[in-house]
Amino acid sequence: MTTLNSLEERVADFGRIPVSTQGRRTVFLRDIANVADGSDVTAGYALVNGSRSSYIPVVKTADASTWDVVTALKAKLPEMRSLLPDDIEVNYEFDQSIFVINSVKSLLFEGGLGALLTGLMVLLFLGDWRSSLIVIITIPVSVISAVLCLNLAGQTINIMTLSGLALAIGVLVDQATVTIENIHQHLEMGKPKRLAIYDACREVALPLLLILLCILAVFAPSFIMSGVPRAMFLPLSVSIGFAMTVSYLLAQSLVPILANWMLKEHQGHGHTPEAVKAPGLFDRVRSVFMSHNCKLLASNKLVVGVYAVLIVGLAAWGFAVIGKDMLPQINSGQMVIRMKTPDGTRLERTEEEVSKLLTLVNDAADGHLEVSSAYVGVVPTNYATSNLYVSTSGPNDAVIKVGLAEGYKTNIQDLKERIRTMVHQEMPDITLSFEPADLTEKLMSGGAFTPIEVQVAGRDMKEIEGYASKLVGKLSQDDHLRDVRIVQPLKFPVINIKLDRQKLAVMGLSLQAAARSITASTSSSRYTEKNQWLDPNSAYTYQVQVQIPEFAMRNLAQLQEVPLVAGQARPVLADVATFSVDTLPGEYSRIGPRRFVTVSANMHHQDLGSATTSVENAIASLGQPPKGILTEVKGMSSLLTETLNSLQIGLSIAILVIFLLLAANYQSFKLSLVILSTIPAVIAGSIAALLLTGSTLNLKSYMGIIMSTGISVANAILIVTNAERLRWEYRDAGKAALDSAALRLRPVLMTSFAMVAGMVPMALGTGEAGEQVAPLGRAVIGGLVASTLAALYIVPQVYALLQKKTPLQDPSLLPDHPVAVHPSLSTNGSYKPEQPLRNEN
């Protein structure tokens, strides 16, 4: 037996297969067909930078790291090239890891700059570089420890965990700053350094623990969330929780040790500072602050009432008018364009239109189109490819991914609008739509092509199409909606072949035989006779199929001449069938027994919440739909409603947990209300900051509001704890409130200004991920500013009002406290200063 040494010889051997023998004459396959190592019937083209290519998308699993996948893939490229012929070039075009890595670098830079600004704030208030250095040292130690804990918890370094760590940097200094400031206060009392450190740490240990628990309680509801909110919030909550817990432990261990090593004894040791030092700038500020609070205390009830009505009203109004989105709009430099030519357009014509479109995109981007990849047509049916990766519906459909040059800065919404305008003028026959390009946005969309999708479902396809067309016309009138279209191809041209069963029976033909002849002639014998050949040398399997060249089946007359009986010129298809040209839906979509079509739309300079409201109003304006027709808003719109509801419920649960936690600590519901009185100011301040900066209420900004809630509670706890101690001493709630606010003025301002300074780089949104995390920083800054003012001016008023008539009774339930008065008071109520203010037993 002769061994076949080349593929050409094997192909030639196929041509020597005899087809028919008539006497001495043998008809071989090569006599009636071209035998070649070819390709299947062309169904689609992959284009990279406008050239036909074999394009391989690589998708990572849910638990894999993007950076690890990209690194491993790049390492495998040399091996791939070695297995391919020299004339085949393998290039690595682009990936999502660039955005991820740039985002990591941006967040690290913003976190480092925030830590530096935080240290400068501490230096400004305390005037001691050693104290600032101690605070700054706790930041990297806390962050590194938190990263280690994240690794142990199975988390990765990603946008959410980094956002949590960057957000926590401002909060981390809260614990260390309060401890350092309290040490300075005790040093100013003339105490020896070691005693001052010990007393200061003991004094703030319980309040700081309570603050830690309250902040952790704010993020605890993320563990009971589900779906997208849980996936987004849980990594952030875990990273903040670890960082805060480590920060508290450091504030009670590392900070006092470093303070003992680095701080100097206070000048004027053993003397009263006021006797040897004139009032400084901060003393004058404190004096002005106390005078303002004294004036407010004179109209205590009016101030609290006006605050309650005004701040709640502003918060409610702001929540109603602010735009609502799933995620902030970002300019990632990437776009995904879906282009459709008229239904039935041949694949080659669609490819030509894609080339024209890429030229227009490059012109609209001022020549800064760096890379493009497109898929035109559909994936061949013999490839098992999920529509998740290639979701085209016909030869007239193309999906194009575009990457702009790194240095090109433009508003992506305005660029899309320029492309739409140019396409409308120069390519009026095509339909254009933009789809999510960012990886996070793709995940959020849940498979939807656009943020706005309306499903119109029913039983009768004509009724569904009619109602959907009316909805498209209505939505097209909205100035803020773009790319309004019906996703499914509903007018795909078809040739109806109606076979006459009686003629088939007379000619001895079957319906199945006729159908097989039509299929083999119009596509390939692969659909009727599966035949594969195994190459013994390479172990590759080849599909062996017979097909009529595409150019040989170009009109109806050629289709009518398809023979039905092998070896006979008659009968042909025209003898037993009638032909008509019609249009039918190119694909059917179903939910259970119902067919549906999808009306999709993009937004232009409008938030998702407002766009969803506009769509719902448009549906309502069409009146009652025909019987059996159901409409439902899908896409990110439904996810937005679900997510915001989940976040609001989570925030409410967190506030309730904090309230109960405070009540358990203080044994008083009234003191819990005093501390929580700052929360409306947080919401109003955060929303005001978002409105002023043109940001929307989204997942990121909501995180900022939740974080600000925890910080506002922390400031109020410092004031209320001290006020309650002073109330036992003064026996006057009003005086205790004023003195406590004045005494805690510096630590409250220090922590608030330090955190605001730490959030400024994030709020400016200067880095690669800046637009994504900027709303978070802005919400935190707005909430902190408002809550700080509320803590300093409103909390003392609320405390004085609620605690004015509260008796001086010890709420302790311990059995060794038989006397129902505070242990620092005698049985007749007189104060005994030689006894400690708190029972140490």
Side-chain angles (χ1 to χ4, degrees):
M1 183 178 67
T2 303
T3 303
L4 301 179
N5 297 320
S6 66
L7 184 60
E8 289 79 8
E9 293 180 11
R10 301 180 193 122
V11 172
D13 194 55
F14 273 99
R16 291 189 286 269
I17 295 175
V19 178
S20 174
T21 301
Q22 299 176 357
R24 295 181 178 180
R25 182 185 178 189
T26 301
V27 179
F28 295 98
L29 186 60
R30 64 173 179 264
D31 298 329
I32 60 174
N34 293 321
V35 182
D37 177 21
S39 60
D40 198 359
V41 176
T42 305
Y45 294 121
L47 307 176
V48 176
N49 295 328
S51 302
R52 294 182 183 177
S53 308
S54 293
Y55 179 65
I56 304 175
V58 178
V59 183
K60 74 179 187 68
T61 58
D63 58 346
S65 166
T66 302
W67 177 245
D68 290 343
V69 171
V70 170
T71 304
L73 181 60
K74 288 181 177 179
K76 281 288 184 181
L77 281 180
E79 180 182 340
M80 295 180 187
R81 293 189 179 104
S82 67
L83 297 174
L84 296 172
D86 295 336
D87 58 343
I88 295 181
E89 184 179 357
V90 179
N91 292 323
Y92 190 91
E93 292 299 335
F94 62 90
D95 59 69
Q96 288 282 351
S97 70
I98 298 174
F99 176 74
V100 173
I101 296 304
N102 288 339
S103 299
V104 170
K105 292 179 180 177
S106 173
L107 286 170
L108 290 175
F109 171 77
E110 292 170 357
L113 184 57
L116 179 62
L117 292 175
T118 298
L120 291 177
M121 283 295 114
V122 176
L123 178 62
L124 177 65
F125 275 90
L126 294 181
D128 182 13
W129 66 267
R130 294 178 177 85
S131 299
S132 301
L133 184 60
I134 292 172
V135 172
I136 293 176
I137 288 174
T138 62
I139 294 176
V141 176
S142 299
V143 171
I144 293 172
S145 302
V147 170
L148 177 61
C149 294
L150 285 173
N151 183 50
L152 295 176
Q155 297 288 339
T156 61
I157 294 297
N158 51 58
I159 299 298
M160 298 312 301
T161 52
L162 279 174
S163 297
L165 293 175
L167 182 60
I169 285 176
V171 191
L172 292 178
V173 300
D174 184 56
Q175 307 271 357
T177 302
V178 170
T179 304
I180 282 290
E181 196 279 337
N182 210 40
I183 291 173
H184 273 267
Q185 280 198 14
H186 281 266
L187 286 173
E188 291 171 357
M189 296 177 186
K191 294 181 180 180
K193 183 171 65 173
R194 292 186 180 182
L195 180 60
I197 293 173
Y198 176 77
D199 289 346
C201 292
R202 186 179 62 172
E203 187 176 69
V204 298
L206 184 59
L208 289 184
L209 177 61
L210 188 59
I211 289 171
L212 171 64
L213 295 177
C214 288
I215 292 178
L216 294 181
V218 169
F219 292 97
S222 62
F223 289 89
I224 61 174
M225 291 179 179
S226 60
V228 173
R230 176 185 173 88
M232 296 292 287
F233 261 85
L234 189 58
L236 180 135
S237 303
V238 170
S239 60
I240 290 180
F242 284 143
M244 288 299 302
T245 303
V246 173
S247 174
Y248 173 76
L249 296 176
L250 293 178
Q252 298 301 309
S253 56
L254 181 63
V255 170
I257 292 173
L258 293 178
N260 188 51
W261 286 353
M262 299 175 63
L263 295 185
K264 293 183 177 181
E265 294 283 356
H266 197 279
Q267 292 182 357
H269 169 64
H271 302 280
T272 305
E274 288 76 4
V276 296
K277 187 177 68 171
L281 175 62
F282 193 80
D283 294 323
R284 294 194 295 271
V285 171
R286 179 180 290 157
S287 177
V288 173
F289 168 72
M290 288 190 67
S291 65
H292 289 167
N293 258 340
C294 284
K295 293 177 182 178
L296 292 176
L297 193 61
S299 305
N300 185 267
K301 292 183 180 180
L302 178 63
V303 170
V304 174
V306 170
Y307 165 78
V309 173
L310 184 63
I311 207 68
V312 172
L314 286 175
W317 173 82
F319 185 82
V321 301
I322 192 171
K324 300 173 181 66
D325 271 318
M326 279 298 298
L327 288 172
Q329 297 292 330
I330 62 172
N331 294 323
S332 63
Q334 295 183 0
M335 294 184 294
V336 175
I337 306 172
R338 182 174 293 273
M339 188 201 79
K340 283 182 177 288
T341 53
D343 290 347
T345 303
R346 287 182 63 89
L347 183 64
E348 308 85 63
R349 303 287 83 81
T350 305
E351 182 186 14
E352 293 173 359
E353 295 298 309
V354 169
S355 298
K356 294 179 183 178
L357 178 60
L358 288 174
T359 301
L360 292 182
V361 171
N362 190 43
D363 293 340
D366 302 322
H368 290 91
L369 176 60
E370 186 174 21
V371 62
S372 67
S373 67
Y375 195 86
V376 186
V378 295
V379 177
T381 53
N382 58 330
Y383 291 101
T385 302
S386 170
N387 284 341
L388 179 64
Y389 309 122
V390 181
S391 55
T392 47
S393 59
N396 64 309
D397 201 354
V399 177
I400 308 162
K401 298 178 182 178
V402 171
L404 304 177
E406 185 176 353
Y408 181 61
K409 302 297 182 182
T410 185
N411 185 290
I412 204 72
Q413 293 293 328
D414 294 336
L415 176 59
K416 291 178 180 179
E417 192 67 9
R418 291 199 298 270
I419 294 173
R420 291 187 185 104
T421 302
M422 296 173 69
V423 167
H424 179 72
Q425 293 173 352
E426 301 187 29
M427 304 174 67
D429 292 334
I430 75 168
T431 303
L432 205 67
S433 179
F434 292 91
E435 299 181 2
D438 177 62
L439 185 61
T440 306
E441 193 175 357
K442 284 183 178 180
L443 295 174
M444 287 292 182
S445 65
F449 292 144
T450 56
I452 300 290
E453 284 196 351
V454 181
Q455 285 186 356
V456 181
R459 294 172 296 180
D460 187 273
M461 200 64 193
K462 290 185 177 179
E463 286 187 352
I464 298 173
E465 181 183 346
Y467 186 83
S469 299
K470 290 181 182 179
L471 182 58
V472 168
K474 193 70 177 178
L475 295 180
S476 299
Q477 299 173 7
D478 194 310
D479 294 336
H480 295 287
L481 295 181
R482 298 289 189 275
D483 312 329
V484 182
R485 66 187 180 96
I486 296 176
V487 174
Q488 292 83 358
L490 300 180
K491 299 292 183 182
F492 206 86
V494 296
I495 297 176
N496 289 326
I497 303 175
K498 186 176 181 180
L499 295 171
D500 190 318
R501 295 175 181 269
Q502 185 175 356
K503 290 182 179 180
L504 287 173
V506 170
M507 296 180 183
L509 301 174
S510 67
L511 184 64
Q512 291 78 8
R516 289 167 67 89
S517 297
I518 296 171
T519 301
S521 300
T522 56
S523 54
S524 168
S525 64
R526 170 167 54 86
Y527 297 102
T528 58
E529 299 289 342
K530 188 174 181 63
N531 192 350
Q532 292 182 326
W533 172 67
L534 177 65
D535 184 347
N537 290 346
S538 64
Y540 287 165
T541 299
Y542 288 83
Q543 181 78 39
V544 181
Q545 59 194 51
V546 179
Q547 61 192 46
I548 298 176
E550 296 175 57
F551 60 82
M553 187 66 67
R554 295 182 296 181
N555 53 53
L556 188 60
Q558 291 171 329
L559 179 62
Q560 292 173 338
E561 295 300 319
V562 171
L564 300 180
V565 179
Q568 297 184 14
R570 310 291 293 207
V572 295
L573 189 58
D575 296 333
V576 297
T578 57
F579 300 83
S580 63
V581 178
D582 197 1
T583 59
L584 287 175
E587 66 179 43
Y588 288 100
S589 301
R590 286 182 178 274
I591 296 180
R594 285 194 179 94
R595 290 175 175 173
F596 72 88
V597 300
T598 304
V599 177
S600 67
N602 277 311
M603 305 170 297
H604 179 64
H605 291 309
Q606 188 181 36
D607 62 278
L608 182 58
S610 300
T612 303
T613 302
S614 300
V615 171
E616 291 173 346
N617 293 336
I619 296 174
S621 67
L622 293 178
Q624 186 69 22
K627 185 178 179 180
I629 297 294
L630 297 176
T631 60
E632 187 176 4
V633 180
K634 290 285 190 178
M636 293 180 77
S637 299
S638 57
L639 182 61
L640 174 67
T641 304
E642 174 192 346
T643 301
L644 289 182
N645 289 339
S646 180
L647 291 175
Q648 290 164 19
I649 293 173
L651 182 58
S652 301
I653 293 174
I655 293 174
L656 177 61
V657 171
I658 292 174
F659 177 80
L660 297 176
L661 183 64
L662 294 172
N665 176 74
Y666 292 110
Q667 294 293 301
S668 171
F669 288 119
K670 291 191 292 184
L671 291 179
S672 298
L673 290 174
V674 172
I675 294 174
L676 295 183
S677 64
T678 60
I679 292 181
V682 172
I683 298 174
S686 295
I687 292 178
L690 294 173
L691 288 172
L692 290 174
T693 55
S695 302
T696 60
L697 186 64
N698 49 62
L699 275 174
K700 296 287 186 178
S701 53
Y702 224 113
M703 293 174 192
I705 294 176
I706 291 177
M707 193 65 190
S708 300
T709 300
I711 302 302
S712 70
V713 169
N715 288 334
I717 286 174
L718 289 177
I719 295 175
V720 169
T721 301
N722 203 47
E724 189 67 3
R725 180 179 63 83
L726 292 176
R727 186 173 69 90
W728 290 99
E729 180 180 344
Y730 298 158
R731 306 186 68 187
D732 184 341
K735 188 175 185 304
L738 294 177
D739 283 0
S740 176
L743 187 62
R744 291 301 179 188
L745 177 63
R746 186 167 69 176
V748 168
L749 288 179
M750 262 178 58
T751 54
S752 298
F753 274 78
M755 188 168 184
V756 167
M759 290 293 104
V760 166
M762 183 183 292
L764 293 177
T766 54
E768 181 74 22
E771 294 167 313
Q772 196 172 60
V773 298
L776 190 153
R778 293 165 186 170
V780 171
I781 290 176
L784 274 177
V785 171
S787 68
T788 300
L789 293 174
L792 293 175
Y793 286 101
I794 301 301
V795 167
Q797 309 303 322
V798 178
Y799 178 87
L801 180 65
L802 295 182
Q803 291 291 93
K804 183 178 182 180
K805 297 181 179 180
T806 301
L808 296 173
Q809 292 181 342
D810 188 359
S812 175
L813 301 178
L814 295 177
D816 59 346
H817 284 183
V819 182
V821 293
H822 195 276
S824 63
L825 300 177
S826 63
T827 53
N828 60 7
S830 61
Y831 178 62
K832 296 189 290 185
E834 68 276 8
Q835 292 189 358
L837 293 176
R838 297 184 63 86
N839 187 2
E840 300 294 335
N841 294 330

